[in-house]
Every structure is written in C-alpha cells, then in structure tokens.
Amino acid sequence: MPELPEVETVCRALAPSLVGNQIRTVVIRHTQLRWPIASKLSELSNEPMVSLQRRAKYLLLQLSQGWLIIHLGMSGTLRLLPAKTAVNKHDHIDLQLACGQLLRFTDPRRFGAWLWCEDPWQHRLLQHLGVEPLSPAFTGTYLAQAAQGQRMAIKPWLMKSNVVVGIGNIYASEALYQAKISPLCLAGELDQSAINRLVDSIRLILAQAIAQGGSTLRDFRQTNGKLGYFTQQHEVYNRKNQPCRYCTTPIVQLRQGQRSTFYCPSCQRGW
DNA sequence: ATCCGAACCTGACGGC
DNA sequence: TGCCGTCAGGTTCGGA
C-alpha cells in the first residue's frame, strides 16, 4: 500500500492510540523481513511508547529505551485490532498493548523492516535522506539546484530518496502529468519554470492524497486494510490505453528502471 | 561517482 | 484446471 501519503495516514491514525500507551507483550511469528527483525523487539515488554513520527516512508516509534524504525515495504500494513483477533498467514508481529488493543504488522512479501536503534537520525538508512516534499525546504530553487547536470530521466530521478523523499512510483507519474512534463526528459534539462511546476504538483498531489487518506481513517480499525488506496482517482497511473482526461489521447505505459511509467504523450511532450 | 539490474518475497492475473 | 510467465505501491546492494 504505502507511498508517503499512506504512511502519513497510518502515522496519524496510530499516534493517538500508541503515544502514552504501553507495550504489554510482543509476539514474533516470522523473524525474517527485509532484514532480520530487531532482536531487541522481544525484550520490550512493558515499554512505554513516547512518540510516533514519520520520516520519508519510515515510521519512527519512540520508546523509553530507544526507537523502532518501521518500514512497510511494498505490502506491509499496521492495524489496531481487538486483543484476541485471529491470526492469519502473513501476520508477522503483534504488539499487545496495555490498553487492551493489538498492534499487528502484516506483510505478505516481507519487504518491510523492523529495526532498533538509539538514535534514528544517525541511522544509516535515514542519514542520507533528502528533504520532505511537504516541508518548506522543498522549493523550486532547491530542486533546480539538485537537478543541475543530472543526466537521468526525471521520473526515476524523482524517485531517488537522496534529494526529495516519499515520491513513489504512482505519484511520480501523477506529478509529472500534472506538471505537463515528459517522464523521459532528463532531470538536468528542465528549466526553472518547469521545476517550479513540478514542485507545486508534487506538493499538491501528496497533500490531496493525505487528505483522502484521512477520509478513510474511520475505517482504519476494521480488519480489511485495503481502503482508501484503491478508491483514489489516478489521472495516468494504471490507465494504459485509456483516454487522457484532458485531451483524450490514449495513455502510454513504458518501463523506466524496471518500473512502469504512465503518461500522456500529447500533454507531456517535453517540459 | 554513476547507473543498471538483481535481489529480497508472495500473490494475482492472463494466456495457453 | 493447471502451469507458466509477468507484474505489483520499495529499497539496498553489487558489479560494470
């Protein structure tokens, strides 16, 4: 499920229930995710939870002794459930909470991660991350400077996390469509006005998606996790051969860096 | 330094 | 039905 808006939605949904609450017991059913699950996790009985925040697509859960770094990978979900909820195939981690609820991590593909550290800001996975796209630091000036001289196509370039974080495969295509920039343009050849449009599009699309995610929050506690994401209206993503909503030209699908890109060849000619 | 492909996994779907 | 190939929202890693 998770691109940045989904992770942000999960963060906002869980924070009120977790912060100030306490882990009672931990059940680990499958220790191997992208990396082995932090062994520390099994020693966290009776740990108070202090804060929950998001950085890029990582969730950072602060406990009294240190931090859990949680990543949902491609297929991970976190749900708050009643304590005795039946266990299904890919339910890898349960945190039984003092409040009586259960925080359950489910991840069929196991690309997710649960790591332990004392200071996440020093962690190797986080310390080279670029700016948050919804922060004031993400400006046209910043992005233009970062793009200078870059020979990579703009779409895969946007998805690298060392300049700006949180732009996944769906929103990369969507943002370029909205900015009327071809995904095939080289990052370094965009002019300032195109870069400015791109920054605005990225901010707008992510903010809208978060707002929509928010509208599905009320369903978050229910057991079928897949809400919100599929209800979203994409302009180009997954719309191969369907008419562009602006000019009716069929949407084209192509591969860039082993990922699917969708775009309108008429609206997105150059930049 | 930079980039591309492979790798980590399971499941869903389409074609034969 | 069933088998096979392909694809899927992410990210790191190794080798060219």
Side-chain angles (χ1 to χ4, degrees), chain A residues 78-222:
Chain A
L78 278 172
R79 289 169 299 162
L80 271 176
L81 302 167
K84 301 272 185 175
T85 307
V87 174
N88 288 309
K89 189 170 182 185
H90 301 293
D91 297 339
H92 305 311
I93 302 175
D94 281 355
L95 303 187
Q96 290 285 355
L97 307 180
C99 65
Q101 285 185 298
L102 169 66
L103 181 66
R104 173 164 289 170
F105 178 71
T106 306
D107 186 6
R109 293 180 72 178
R110 282 186 267 132
F111 290 174
W114 280 61
L115 303 173
W116 174 261
C117 67
E118 310 222 322
D119 179 3
W121 314 108
Q122 302 297 319
H123 195 280
R124 63 179 193 90
L125 292 178
L126 302 194
Q127 62 183 346
H128 300 299
L129 291 177
V131 303
E132 288 287 332
L134 296 176
S135 76
F138 185 54
T139 63
T141 310
Y142 169 82
L143 197 65
Q145 181 159 8
Q148 211 160 39
Q150 295 294 312
R151 316 273 317 152
M152 194 184 291
I154 184 66
K155 193 265 191 172
W157 185 78
L158 270 185
M159 293 171 63
K160 287 152 41 80
S161 57
N162 58 342
V163 174
V164 54
V165 301
I167 304 172
N169 201 39
I170 293 178
Y171 295 118
S173 282
E174 294 295 320
L176 288 166
Y177 171 79
Q178 191 171 311
K180 297 192 184 291
I181 296 168
S182 165
L184 300 165
C185 284
L186 304 188
E189 72 186 355
L190 300 188
D191 67 10
Q192 188 64 57
S193 106
I195 291 272
N196 290 345
R197 292 201 309 276
L198 187 52
V199 166
D200 289 344
S201 300
I202 289 169
R203 303 183 87 103
L204 188 66
I205 276 173
L206 294 178
Q208 281 175 345
I210 290 170
Q212 285 189 30
S215 72
T216 66
L217 277 186
R218 67 183 76 92
D219 301 302
F220 190 76
R221 282 146 206 275
Q222 296 182 4

Side-chain angles (χ1 to χ4, degrees), chain A residues 172-181 201 235-236 244-247 251 262-264 267-268:
Chain A
S173 282
E174 294 295 320
L176 288 166
Y177 171 79
Q178 191 171 311
K180 297 192 184 291
I181 296 168
S201 300
E235 297 294 329
V236 287
C244 168
R245 295 203 170 103
Y246 183 76
C247 76
I251 300 301
F262 297 85
Y263 77 115
C264 170
C267 293
Q268 297 170 267

Side-chain angles (χ1 to χ4, degrees), chain A residues 1 6 171 209 212-213 215-216 219 225-234:
Chain A
M1 313 201 98
E6 289 70 39
Y171 295 118
Q212 285 189 30
S215 72
T216 66
D219 301 302
K226 294 191 179 175
L227 269 159
Y229 205 90
F230 293 103
T231 67
Q232 265 176 44
Q233 181 117 320
H234 302 309

